[in-house]
Amino acid sequence: MIYACSFNTTNLLVHLIPNGTPAVLIPFIVLVETIRNLIRPLTLAIRLTANIIAGHLLVTLLTSVTPLAPLVFYPLILLAQIILARLEIAVAIIQAYVFSVLMTLYNA
């Protein structure tokens, strides 16, 4: 966006304004679209952080139950922990892919 402002201002403004926008609304629309483009990476980071925290909370909650559980449930808890660890790894891989794709789209 900085490059577009510096070297290609006309083309940048064309992409910020939808076709058929009344002339009175153009400054407001440009302001809203500029703010939206600047906030996108922040919302992406918040979503990524929330997904990471959710996975860690599940593992932490399951681990905190282990000392209180009877010995009979230990194999079940261990199996659940292994499944959650694999799920968290899968989610991390998917989140890395989504983060990379969206940052590429947002920066383009």
Side-chain angles (χ1 to χ4, degrees):
M1 196 153 170
I2 294 171
Y3 176 81
C5 283
S6 301
F7 299 108
N8 203 3
T9 308
T10 307
N11 199 16
L12 172 71
L13 294 177
V14 167
H15 289 293
L16 291 177
I17 304 168
N19 289 335
T21 303
V24 178
L25 293 178
I26 288 177
F28 179 70
I29 296 293
V30 168
L31 178 69
V32 169
E33 289 294 320
T34 302
I35 291 171
R36 181 181 67 104
N37 285 335
L38 293 175
I39 289 177
R40 272 183 169 179
L42 179 67
T43 60
L44 178 62
I46 290 171
R47 186 174 63 210
L48 180 66
T49 304
N51 286 334
I52 291 170
I53 290 173
H56 282 24
L57 281 176
L58 281 174
V59 171
T60 303
L61 286 173
L62 193 58
T63 305
S64 66
V65 171
T66 305
L68 303 174
L71 288 175
V72 178
F73 293 121
Y74 273 28
L76 181 64
I77 292 173
L78 181 64
L79 178 65
Q81 287 177 346
I82 291 170
I83 290 171
L84 276 176
R86 288 184 180 177
L87 178 65
E88 193 165 354
I89 290 170
V91 167
I93 291 169
I94 292 168
Q95 285 298 317
Y97 172 73
V98 168
F99 184 82
S100 300
V101 168
L102 289 178
M103 280 307 291
T104 303
L105 290 174
Y106 292 166
N107 289 331

